[in-house]
Amino acid sequence: KKHYSKYSSSQATTFSSMIDNNIHNVMDRIKTMLAQEKATRCCDYFQTKDCNFDVDESSRESIVVWYQQLSDALDLSPETIWIALSFFDRYLSSGEGKSKKALEDKHKFQVVAITAFYTAIKAYEPVEVAAIALGKICQDYYSIVKISSIEKDMLFTLHWRVSCPTSMEFVRHFVALLPERIHDSSILEDIIGTSLQHLNHAVTDFYFAFHTPSVVGACCLASTLIGTDVLSSSERRSFYLKLARIVDLIDVMEAQIKLLNGRPLCKPITVSNIILKSRSIIRSDSTLPHGRVAISSTPVAFIVAAPTA
């Protein structure tokens, strides 16, 4: 059974409420996001001479599924997964710092994955998960000192570029190019929701790491529109003409074929059924910035099996 990050109508509502219908504002932001994503390109790091044969695409797929399961357990935003993957793929693609050693064996590979996820939570979530808490969640399988060391190396290798547009951000902007009659209808929520499901599927496949977030976002939205009849032929034509001014439609179509007809995703790794030995202690802390919340490291609310990449 495949595992996808949980989807709910509330998530679609949240994403759709973030849409700006002012086309001028939208195009200005898209231009900025396109400039930002140029620094997020990845290479096939599994083909480098430093990569051990024990670490391959299936290892990454297992990591992504583990991200999804842990995100569900912690009730995190799906975008945290996508951002963590951006950190993870960009770091391993760089060939700098300690990234080469991460491809030498599965344990080092997994530590980098944990660190990328931990860093994404710190940067983008309104909760604060201490490294020690993350270690407990993973049953102390990873050294806290190691996670902190890799985090520092990762940030320097990425030149502290932790602000990166996600594919879903592009989807939210691209839907503004749809006819105005759709913007204020329940149809928009359905379009966002289905695009989110497509993205949760795509993110598991290493193939999509080679495409920019704008192409993946356009691919997911286009795949959603294929399965609907909400656009007339003239509206569909108009939408794709606008989209063609932003992204390469050839790339979008190639990604779309892969998304809809690609090989099956890997089986999920085992999770210890999120053993609820005790309730998590979540406390408000006025000393934390921007109303962040601290999750206590003890008692441990759940135990998630370490990723078996």
Side-chain angles (χ1 to χ4, degrees):
K1 182 181 178 181
K2 300 182 183 69
H3 180 279
Y4 305 105
S5 186
K6 67 182 178 182
Y7 158 73
S8 66
S9 59
S10 63
Q11 286 180 343
T13 301
T14 299
F15 283 128
S16 60
S17 67
M18 299 167 70
I19 295 168
D20 187 341
N21 293 332
N22 186 313
I23 194 63
H24 297 295
N25 292 343
V26 168
M27 294 307 296
D28 285 344
R29 282 201 295 272
I30 288 177
K31 190 178 298 184
T32 300
M33 290 160 61
L34 289 172
Q36 288 178 325
E37 74 172 4
K38 290 180 180 178
T40 65
R41 301 306 292 262
C42 300
C43 70
D44 188 353
Y45 45 80
F46 293 118
Q47 297 301 316
T48 65
K49 62 181 180 180
D50 302 295
C51 189
N52 186 291
F53 67 89
D54 284 337
V55 179
D56 56 21
E57 289 185 31
S58 66
S59 303
R60 181 186 179 276
E61 289 173 352
S62 294
I63 290 296
V64 177
V65 175
W66 187 81
Y67 276 178
Q68 293 172 333
Q69 293 172 327
L70 186 56
S71 177
D72 287 355
L74 293 172
D75 197 26
L76 304 178
S77 166
E79 295 206 65
T80 300
I81 298 174
W82 312 327
I83 292 165
L85 275 172
S86 174
F87 295 167
F88 181 70
D89 289 329
R90 285 159 54 199
Y91 179 64
L92 293 181
S93 294
S94 71
E96 299 177 15
K98 301 175 183 177
S99 64
K100 291 182 180 180
K101 292 186 178 297
L103 297 170
E104 293 178 356
D105 64 62
K106 288 186 177 182
H107 185 270
K108 294 175 182 176
F109 186 78
Q110 291 165 1
V111 172
V112 170
I114 290 291
T115 303
F117 194 64
Y118 170 60
T119 304
I121 291 175
K122 283 175 50 176
Y124 287 92
E125 286 288 342
V127 298
E128 185 168 285
V129 179
I132 189 171
L134 195 62
K136 291 293 184 183
I137 289 172
C138 298
Q139 300 175 311
D140 292 322
Y141 188 68
Y142 306 103
S143 162
I144 298 170
V145 173
K146 190 67 174 176
I147 292 174
S148 299
S149 173
I150 293 295
E151 180 187 23
K152 182 177 180 181
D153 189 65
M154 182 179 291
L155 290 172
F156 275 106
T157 298
L158 299 182
H159 306 291
W160 293 84
R161 289 175 178 158
V162 295
S163 178
C164 50
T166 66
S167 298
M168 200 63 201
E169 282 186 272
F170 278 103
V171 170
R172 288 196 295 268
H173 286 75
F174 290 157
V175 293
L177 306 178
L178 293 170
E180 286 188 20
R181 64 179 179 80
I182 292 178
H183 295 175
D184 299 320
S185 70
S186 60
I187 296 173
L188 180 61
E189 193 172 304
D190 292 335
I191 290 174
I192 294 293
T194 305
S195 297
L196 177 59
Q197 290 177 318
H198 280 309
L199 184 54
N200 283 336
H201 180 103
V203 76
T204 315
D205 196 322
F206 189 43
Y207 168 85
F208 292 95
F210 306 131
H211 286 290
T212 59
S214 59
V215 168
V216 177
C219 161
C220 292
L221 180 55
S223 299
T224 296
L225 295 176
I226 281 180
T228 69
D229 57 358
V230 297
L231 299 180
S232 66
S233 57
S234 60
E235 288 174 333
R236 192 178 295 271
R237 217 170 20 247
S238 174
F239 170 72
Y240 281 107
L241 284 173
K242 293 175 183 176
L243 196 62
R245 299 190 186 104
I246 302 170
V247 294
D248 187 331
L249 289 187
I250 300 298
D251 287 344
V252 173
M253 286 188 289
E254 289 178 353
Q256 189 175 0
I257 291 171
K258 177 67 173 177
L259 178 65
L260 300 180
N261 302 306
R263 61 184 174 81
L265 302 181
C266 68
K267 293 182 180 180
I269 58 173
T270 302
V271 172
S272 301
N273 296 321
I274 310 177
I275 304 170
L276 297 175
K277 290 190 172 180
S278 59
R279 295 289 179 182
S280 61
I281 299 176
I282 303 180
R283 61 181 176 80
S284 297
D285 191 336
S286 59
T287 63
L288 296 176
H290 308 300
R292 293 166 72 87
V293 181
I295 296 182
S296 172
S297 60
T298 56
V300 181
F302 36 70
I303 299 189
V304 181
T308 56

